[in-house]
Amino acid sequence: AQSVTQLGSHVSVSEGALVLLRCNYSSSVPPYLFWYVQYPNQGLQLLLKYTSAATLVKGINGFEAEFKKSETSFHLTKPSAHMSDAAEYFCAVETSYDKVIFGPGTSLSVIP
Amino acid sequence: DAGITQSPRYKITETGRQVTLMCHQTWSHSYMFWYRQDLGHGLRLIYYSAAADITDKGEVPDGYVVSRSKTENFPLTLESATRSQTSVYFCASTSGALNTEAFFGQGTRLTVV
């Protein structure tokens, strides 16, 4: 069965520091991988998605993620955190048209 | 306006009452989904629909009913609300192609007292 784990339900970083949010997946077939962001009192919106064209994927707002098949990981990074990055981040894996599995989410706090 | 809208945004209901959450999308997307979001569980799929008149159960369907008579609407009904159904509910839609973005509504915060 497919699953997604996100290490750390809450991450705090200082403004300007590196952001690293971890995502590991298990899948019996090559997955499609996504990161979504949820700002307070809003729905989720796509941050980036993995395509087989490149292992390093760039998304909106300066975020990027690297797909590592050997580690079954798709960690999200941003070189320099901004206050506006404070939100909930969800990793998701899609293995068929009707099966999108979301991780439990990581809440990111940015300290001024 | 194009998009996906949910109504109501907030709802308080009593245990045992029937309540319906509405979802409407303007893209003519084939697939629509209902999720519930609870602390520590992320999003869990309740029901989904691949097209009008085609629905199927997700991970946590018990206590919920859906219908999809029109492509653009996908209402979710709690037949007899329980306190364990207090949650934030999200509707989403996709075109149905693999590796495409899911578009989410803003959510309905439901409290069952």
Side-chain angles (χ1 to χ4, degrees):
Chain A
Q2 293 80 28
S3 67
V4 179
T5 57
Q6 292 181 240
L7 184 63
S9 60
H10 188 88
V11 171
S12 291
V13 299
S14 297
E15 190 174 16
L18 172 70
V19 176
L20 171 60
L21 304 182
R22 300 178 186 274
C23 173
N24 289 88
Y25 68 92
S26 66
S27 174
S28 57
V29 297
Y32 297 105
L33 295 161
F34 306 80
W35 274 100
Y36 284 85
V37 60
Q38 182 184 29
Y39 297 105
N41 297 315
Q42 294 187 26
L44 281 69
Q45 61 186 79
L46 183 69
L47 203 55
L48 51 81
K49 67 178 182 181
Y50 168 68
T51 67
S52 58
T55 57
L56 184 62
V57 181
K58 294 188 183 299
I60 61 173
N61 301 334
F63 283 93
E64 60 185 32
E66 185 173 11
F67 172 66
K68 291 187 177 180
K69 185 177 179 180
S70 62
E71 298 178 7
T72 60
S73 68
F74 191 55
H75 300 332
L76 181 71
T77 60
K78 183 174 180 178
S80 177
H82 191 273
M83 295 298 293
S84 61
D85 295 327
E88 189 88 15
Y89 292 81
F90 293 92
C91 183
V93 58
E94 177 184 39
T95 55
S96 66
Y97 295 103
D98 52 13
K99 293 291 188 290
V100 178
I101 308 297
F102 287 86
T106 296
S107 177
L108 176 66
S109 297
V110 182
I111 304 167
Chain B
D1 290 337
I4 182 165
T5 55
Q6 294 182 235
S7 60
R9 289 292 313 277
Y10 303 91
K11 177 74 176 178
I12 300 174
T13 192
E14 294 179 340
T15 301
R17 289 194 177 269
Q18 182 182 84
V19 59
T20 297
L21 310 183
M22 305 301 292
C23 179
H24 174 79
Q25 53 105 354
T26 60
W27 293 297
S28 298
H29 280 168
S30 300
Y31 279 78
M32 296 188 74
F33 306 83
W34 274 107
Y35 293 91
R36 59 178 291 172
Q37 182 179 23
D38 304 288
L39 194 64
H41 291 280
L43 278 80
R44 292 182 290 176
L45 182 64
I46 304 171
Y47 269 95
Y48 67 95
S49 169
D53 297 321
I54 300 175
T55 63
D56 208 345
K57 296 178 180 179
E59 181 185 356
V60 289
D62 293 344
Y64 303 95
V65 174
V66 293
S67 62
R68 195 165 176 209
S69 59
K70 293 184 178 182
T71 300
E72 61 267 29
N73 297 323
F74 191 39
L76 175 74
T77 297
L78 287 67
E79 295 184 295
S80 178
T82 65
R83 288 180 180 164
S84 65
Q85 293 177 310
T86 292
S87 186
V88 181
Y89 292 85
F90 286 99
C91 179
S93 71
T94 74
S95 63
L98 285 171
N99 204 26
T100 56
E101 178 179 0
F103 292 89
F104 284 80
Q106 292 201 311
T108 295
R109 183 175 295 275
L110 176 69
T111 302
V112 183
V113 298

